[in-house]
């Protein structure tokens, strides 16, 4: 078991952003790895959970738990009220127009699959075309391939330049009368590129095509307003937002959600069932069959409260400064190359080291207590486009510090020394 | 895990920079390709086997240092050995790296009689995600034994899931 210690942190903040106070909220940051303080730079894979969210989960399980929408007893009504309140917190956080436009899923992957089944299988047929981009995570590729194979539809892919930026001219040229759907990643998990989705949505709409945005890497790092984006669907995960795993969100415009067929059949998604006919429930319940992850939803609500109290603008500013600092620092180390140099980037520093495989980098950094992700980041087409099998990826959260960036740089130099 | 940095320093300095038997055997009698799709590692092993003896072996490919060092040391260990002895070594190596046998336990150490210098890879067991890197060359070698000369193995064959005795 890792030991706990209290590490001192050099400050890197401007009021009202108090990094020491924020770090004190995250018990896991006291864990030691290999006898060294944890430097957690794998936030794009999953963010850590503050005590406030842990406490909320404990309070729910200790004093409020029962199944929702089922019984008239006190706990069931209380749990239902808390679950509904969590939905309203999500609605406010992303500025959805209506509460019923927020559907709880198990995560981004399930949210995208829900749209593929509920919308795609109903409205996309033989010869139709779906536009995605080179930057997609596998979760926004595979469902559409499954649909394309089943329906005889076709996938068209928006190319990127060497910096990892989507090519908008090429995007617009992909549209034709068979284009039926667009599904785009908001922020690239592998490279950190922030895509101009608002512009891309506006263009798709001018061609009468609905757009899903995979926001798994965007929502944790910037203020996202789904009405301002005017996206038709927006998907993201709770655990990348300091919430629990097993909970995610699909936002969808009410009219579209109503037009869709259900994704999963079962309890809670029906109004009445006979052996002859089932009448489906209204949205969002039509898409929430079975007992949902109630505790996780409430935990996500607490996480959104926590992030809102800090302020997404403050979070974005802190992370931007960290990314800039890290980019400058790593650029000064010969033999290290940053992969993904888009003008607009969020919180991700992907890099390769000359003659050293990323897995060796990751293993040796771990010896220094530094957690980075190595591999293809579930985005093999991005790796193929960049002509590399894998990268090492440091991804920052608002609780990371300049000192941790320095630790990463020292780690990179140590790896070079071993391989020298 | 503390030995891991030592493993890198000791083995990588040597075998990663100067891999032994790197390249391809001309007029090979046996050949197999190994892939680890998770990290993009790719390995090609060619052999010249006559009278059940490994007269020559070579490897090449793109891989991490653990995989490359494992392949390099493997070629040194099996060159000149009989195919049967090489199969025994494959089983011992896999048992050690996957943690089925522990060199620190006397009873189990006896079953790792042929490991020799390869014992340096025992520490990889502490890193489950890297075990595959270390064993890829050995699975590929085993696959090559059952290959037929001049037959391409660019098929669906996956050495990561190739059956390999009890190991």
């Amino acid at each position: 078991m890792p030991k706990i210690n209290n590490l001192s942190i050099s400050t890197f903040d401007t009021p009202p952003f108090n990094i020491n106070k924020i770090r004190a909220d995250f018990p896991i940051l006291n864990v030691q790895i290999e006898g060294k303080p944890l430097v957690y730079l794998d936030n794009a894979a999953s963010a850590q959970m503050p005590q406030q969210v842990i406490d909320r989960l404990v309070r729910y399980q200790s004093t409020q738990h029962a199944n929702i929408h089922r019984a008239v007893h006190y706990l069931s009504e209380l749990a239902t009220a808390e679950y509904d309140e969590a939905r309203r917190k999500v609605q406010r956080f992303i500025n959805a127009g209506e509460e019923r436009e927020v559907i709880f899923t198990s995560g981004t992957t399930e949210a995208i699959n829900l749209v593929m089944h509920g919308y795609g299988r109903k409205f996309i047929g033989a010869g139709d075309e779906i536009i995605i981009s080179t930057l997609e995570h596998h979760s926004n590729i595979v469902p559409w391939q499954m649909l394309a194979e089943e329906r005889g539809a076709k996938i068209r892919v928006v190319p990127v330049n060497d910096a990892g930026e989507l090519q908008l001219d090429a995007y617009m040229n992909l549209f034709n009368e068979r284009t039926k759907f667009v599904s785009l990643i908001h922020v690239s998990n592998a490279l950190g590129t922030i895509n101009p989705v608002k512009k891309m949505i506006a263009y798709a709409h001018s061609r009468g095509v609905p757009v899903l945005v995979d926001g798994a890497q965007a929502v944790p790092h910037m203020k996202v307003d789904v009405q301002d984006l005017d996206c038709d669907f927006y998907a993201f995960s709770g655990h990348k937002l300091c919430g629990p795993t097993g909970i995610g969100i699909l936002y969808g415009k009410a009219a579209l959600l109503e037009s869709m067929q259900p994704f999963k059949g079962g309890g809670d998604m029906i109004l009445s069932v006979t052996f002859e006919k089932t009448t489906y429930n209204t949205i969002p319940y039509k898409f929430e069959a079975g007992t949902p992850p109630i505790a996780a939803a409430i935990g996500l609500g607490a996480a959104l409260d926590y992030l809102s109290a800090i302020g997404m603008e403050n979070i974005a500013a802190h992370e931007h400064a960290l990314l800039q600092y890290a980019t400058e620092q790593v650029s000064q180390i010969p033999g290290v190359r940053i992969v993904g140099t888009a003008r607009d980037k969020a919180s991700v520093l992907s890099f390769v080291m000359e003659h050293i495989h990323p897995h060796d980098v990751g293993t040796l950094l771990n010896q220094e207590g530094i957690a980075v992700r190595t591999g293809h980041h579930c985005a093999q087409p991005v790796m193929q486009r960049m002509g590399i099998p894998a990268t090492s990826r440091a991804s920052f959260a608002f609780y990371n510090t300049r000192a941790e960036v320095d630790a990463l740089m020292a780690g990179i130099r140590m790896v070079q020394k071993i391989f020298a | 895990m503390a030995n891991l940095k030592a493993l890198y320093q000791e083995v990588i300095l040597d075998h990663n920079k100067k891999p032994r038997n790197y390249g391809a055997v001309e007029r090979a009698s046996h050949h197999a390709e190994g892939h680890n799709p998770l990290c993009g590692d790719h390995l090609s092993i060619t052999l010249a086997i006559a009278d059940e003896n490994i007269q020559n072996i070579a490897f090449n490919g793109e891989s991490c240092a653990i995989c490359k060092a494992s392949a390099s040391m493997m070629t040194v260990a099996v060159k000149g050995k009989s195919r049967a002895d090489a199969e025994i070594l494959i089983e011992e190596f896999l048992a050690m790296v996957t943690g089925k046998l522990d060199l620190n336990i006397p009873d189990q150490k006896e079953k790792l009689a042929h490991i020799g210098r390869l014992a340096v890879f025992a520490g990889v067991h502490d890193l489950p995600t890297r075990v595959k890197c270390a064993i890829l060359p050995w699975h590929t070698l085993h696959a090559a034994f059952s290959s037929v000369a001049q037959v391409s193995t660019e098929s669906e064959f996956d050495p990561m899931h190739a059956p390999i005795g009890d190991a």
Side-chain angles (χ1 to χ4, degrees):
Chain A
M1 281 297 288
K3 281 185 226 129
I4 305 289
N5 82 325
N6 292 313
L7 71 163
S8 61
I9 294 106
S10 76
T11 53
F12 175 52
D13 61 17
T14 45
F17 194 87
N18 185 335
I19 188 77
N20 288 329
K21 189 166 162 289
I22 285 168
R23 285 184 69 89
D25 289 335
F26 289 81
I28 207 163
L29 297 179
N30 294 321
V31 165
Q32 287 206 339
I33 309 291
E34 301 290 321
K36 290 168 182 141
L38 167 68
V39 176
Y40 188 76
L41 302 178
D42 194 18
N43 295 287
S46 199
Q48 299 297 348
M49 188 181 280
Q51 192 64 49
Q52 287 85 337
V53 177
I54 298 169
D55 288 347
R56 185 65 191 90
L57 292 170
V58 170
R59 184 158 68 90
Y60 170 75
Q61 296 291 172
S62 310
T63 65
Q64 301 179 317
H65 173 68
N67 210 331
I68 57 163
H69 304 143
R70 294 288 192 282
V72 294
H73 62 76
Y74 172 79
L75 282 179
S76 179
E77 288 187 345
L78 181 58
T80 303
E82 295 293 341
Y83 182 73
D84 292 345
E85 178 57 23
R87 195 189 307 275
R88 285 189 289 274
K89 285 178 181 178
V90 174
Q91 181 202 348
R92 287 194 293 272
F93 195 75
I94 59 171
N95 193 32
E98 297 179 57
E99 191 182 332
R100 65 193 181 119
E101 294 180 319
V102 174
I103 297 161
F104 284 119
T105 67
S106 68
T108 306
T109 297
E110 193 185 59
I112 295 170
N113 276 274
L114 191 163
V115 176
M116 184 278 267
H117 282 274
Y119 185 90
R121 296 182 83 194
K122 188 166 177 188
F123 297 113
I124 294 171
D128 287 344
E129 297 187 0
I130 302 156
I131 294 177
I132 60 175
S133 87
T134 308
L135 294 178
E136 302 312 319
H137 186 280
H138 294 165
S139 62
N140 200 23
I141 300 173
V142 181
W144 305 113
Q145 279 177 335
M146 291 164 76
L147 179 70
E149 193 172 332
E150 181 187 299
R151 291 297 147 99
K154 203 171 155 191
I155 309 275
R156 307 292 302 272
V157 183
V158 187
V160 294
N161 63 15
D162 292 340
E165 294 165 322
L166 293 184
Q167 300 299 281
L168 292 189
D169 289 351
Y171 165 70
M172 292 189 278
N173 284 333
L174 288 176
F175 281 82
N176 60 42
E177 68 285 353
R178 304 313 306 263
T179 308
K180 288 289 156 60
F181 201 77
V182 174
S183 198
L184 297 169
I185 195 164
H186 195 167
V187 172
S188 160
N189 68 304
L191 306 182
T193 312
I194 303 174
N195 294 316
V197 289
K198 188 175 173 180
K199 239 189 258 178
M200 297 171 85
I201 291 163
Y203 183 76
H205 286 174
S206 77
R207 306 290 300 249
V209 179
V211 181
L212 180 150
V213 178
D214 165 4
Q217 298 294 341
V219 179
H221 305 296
M222 61 183 77
K223 178 76 195 148
V224 170
D225 180 330
V226 292
Q227 291 189 81
D228 178 56
L229 290 176
D230 197 27
C231 53
D232 301 280
F233 300 100
Y234 199 97
F236 59 99
S237 296
H239 69 98
K240 295 188 201 287
L241 281 163
C242 305
T245 54
I247 189 79
I249 298 297
L250 174 69
Y251 157 82
K253 285 180 179 167
L256 277 168
L257 291 174
E258 278 172 341
S259 74
M260 286 158 59
Q261 60 191 18
F263 170 39
K264 297 193 270 191
D268 238 24
M269 55 79 73
I270 52 87
L271 285 177
S272 71
V273 175
T274 67
F275 286 114
E276 286 71 40
K277 185 170 172 54
T278 290
T279 309
Y280 300 132
N281 206 337
T282 52
I283 60 168
Y285 310 110
K286 183 167 89 174
F287 297 107
E288 293 180 0
T291 299
I294 307 165
I298 292 167
L300 173 58
L304 298 183
D305 286 345
Y306 179 82
L307 296 173
S308 300
I310 297 171
M312 289 312 293
E313 295 79 6
N314 294 325
I315 285 172
H318 177 79
E319 291 178 352
H320 186 74
L322 268 188
L323 179 67
Q324 209 168 7
Y325 178 64
T327 303
E328 284 162 18
Q329 292 297 306
V330 86
S331 304
Q332 287 167 22
I333 306 178
V336 183
R337 181 167 64 87
I338 297 173
V339 181
T341 48
R343 224 166 331 127
D344 284 334
K345 270 182 74 171
S347 261
V348 167
L349 188 75
S350 235
F351 61 92
V352 288
M353 296 175 67
E354 224 170 277
H355 307 308
I356 310 176
H357 191 284
H359 277 189
D360 296 318
V361 177
T363 295
L364 288 165
L365 289 178
N366 179 63
Q367 297 289 302
E368 303 299 309
I370 303 166
V372 297
R373 171 85 188 270
T374 59
H376 53 59
H377 316 295
C378 296
Q380 285 178 343
V382 181
M383 299 293 117
Q384 283 154 18
R385 169 61 182 82
M386 294 296 166
I388 46 178
T391 73
S392 303
R393 180 190 71 186
S395 52
F396 306 105
F398 56 93
Y399 44 72
N400 287 126
T401 66
R402 217 172 154 100
E404 289 181 311
V405 173
D406 292 337
L408 173 65
M409 298 307 147
I412 289 171
R413 288 198 168 89
M414 176 273 299
V415 173
Q416 285 185 324
K417 219 166 130 189
I418 289 177
F419 274 83
Chain B
M1 280 248 243
N3 296 326
L4 207 75
K5 216 156 147 184
L7 165 89
Y8 268 94
Q9 274 156 342
E10 204 175 307
V11 181
I12 283 155
L13 275 174
D14 190 5
H15 286 266
N16 193 57
K17 285 173 138 181
K18 293 175 289 174
R20 317 295 197 272
N21 305 305
Y22 194 82
V25 173
E26 271 182 49
R27 288 186 293 280
S29 59
H30 293 70
H31 169 220
E33 304 276 332
H35 292 276
N36 184 346
L38 282 177
C39 52
D41 282 358
H42 171 255
L43 208 64
S44 170
I45 291 180
T46 45
L47 293 139
I49 300 178
D51 301 329
E52 290 296 297
N53 277 305
I54 301 170
Q55 296 185 330
N56 204 357
I57 177 169
F59 82 100
N60 66 73
E62 289 293 322
S63 68
C64 66
I66 288 180
C67 183
K68 198 170 179 183
S70 176
S72 174
M73 290 180 72
M74 177 186 78
T75 60
V76 172
V78 303
K79 201 172 184 174
K81 278 204 168 62
S82 74
R83 178 172 158 154
D85 284 348
E87 290 280 21
I88 289 170
L89 192 56
I90 291 172
E91 291 205 17
E92 286 188 11
F93 186 86
L94 295 180
M96 176 185 75
V97 172
T98 57
K100 288 195 178 70
L101 293 174
D102 187 341
L103 280 169
N104 296 316
I105 300 170
D107 281 1
Q108 299 185 12
K109 192 180 175 181
E110 282 173 25
K111 293 177 184 159
L112 295 169
H114 308 87
I115 280 295
R117 292 192 59 205
L118 295 163
V120 71
F121 285 95
V124 175
H125 172 59
D126 292 331
L127 287 171
T129 52
R130 304 306 303 278
V131 169
K132 281 187 170 184
C133 310
I135 67 179
L136 179 63
W138 299 81
H139 275 289
T140 310
L141 175 61
H142 176 75
F145 283 150
S146 45
S147 75
V148 181
Q150 308 306 323
V151 167
S152 167
T153 49
E154 302 296 312
S155 61
E156 294 303 303
F157 176 76
D158 177 3
M160 296 306 295
H161 299 103
I164 186 137
D166 298 330

